[in-house]
Amino acid sequence: MNAAWIIPFIILGGALQTCGAAMNGQLNKSLVNPFLASSVSFLVITFFFLALFFAMPHPLPTTQDIREMPWWAVFGGLVGAVQVFAGLTLIHRVGSGTFIAITVSSALIASLVIDHFGWFRMNVHAINPTRLAGALLLVGGVVLITRK
């Protein structure tokens, strides 16, 4: 991917995450059962990526790649499912703005900790006063957004 498209693609992903949370909330409302709604949501994702894989099956991992993979790497989707489930069951109760504001701020704080300690094999990016101030400003924004 061309480096000029990285930031716009991330922005698009963030905007679509908000749409996806609202769409999943409506899916849950329509299907009534949150576990069925979650299953439908993930089935669509699974079929989409399987179709892409069959269209572009290369590269494939080597045995060495699989051997060096940490045991926890395969659980990323399950961890993400918690967010999807939270979105489809809670977004109508708190509203899209509040839901995404809390999601973004909690994700940012967790990412600062992950970067600071280099967890999950991430490169270390230490928490410094500037990053901390940014996180505090974001949390302040969340407080303002969630007030009624």
Side-chain angles (χ1 to χ4, degrees):
M1 179 180 286
N2 182 330
W5 289 99
I6 291 174
I7 300 299
F9 190 73
I10 293 170
I11 291 169
L12 175 65
L16 289 176
Q17 181 181 10
T18 303
C19 297
M23 294 161 84
N24 279 334
Q26 186 56 52
L27 179 66
N28 183 52
K29 194 173 181 181
S30 298
L31 296 181
V32 183
N33 184 313
F35 302 109
L36 175 61
S38 296
S39 299
V40 168
S41 180
F42 281 99
L43 275 173
V44 172
I45 295 165
T46 300
F47 284 124
F48 174 77
F49 281 108
L50 278 173
L52 286 177
F53 169 72
F54 285 118
M56 298 175 276
H58 299 288
L60 289 173
T62 65
T63 348
Q64 183 70 20
D65 293 330
I66 294 170
R67 245 184 282 143
E68 292 175 1
M69 180 178 66
W71 66 268
W72 42 260
V74 296
F75 294 104
L78 185 58
V79 170
V82 172
Q83 173 61 12
V84 170
F85 188 79
L88 63 86
T89 57
L90 302 174
I91 197 163
H92 285 294
R93 295 177 77 176
V94 299
S96 183
T98 298
F99 181 81
I100 294 300
I102 293 170
T103 296
V104 168
S105 62
S106 60
L108 178 82
I109 291 166
S111 68
L112 288 175
V113 172
I114 290 168
D115 280 353
H116 183 77
F117 292 106
W119 291 345
F120 305 110
R121 298 185 181 177
M122 296 296 297
N123 293 329
V124 172
H125 299 277
I127 293 176
N128 59 36
T130 306
R131 297 180 102 202
L132 188 58
L136 291 173
L137 286 170
L138 184 64
V139 170
V142 169
V143 169
L144 293 174
I145 289 169
T146 58
R147 294 185 95 170
K148 296 205 183 214

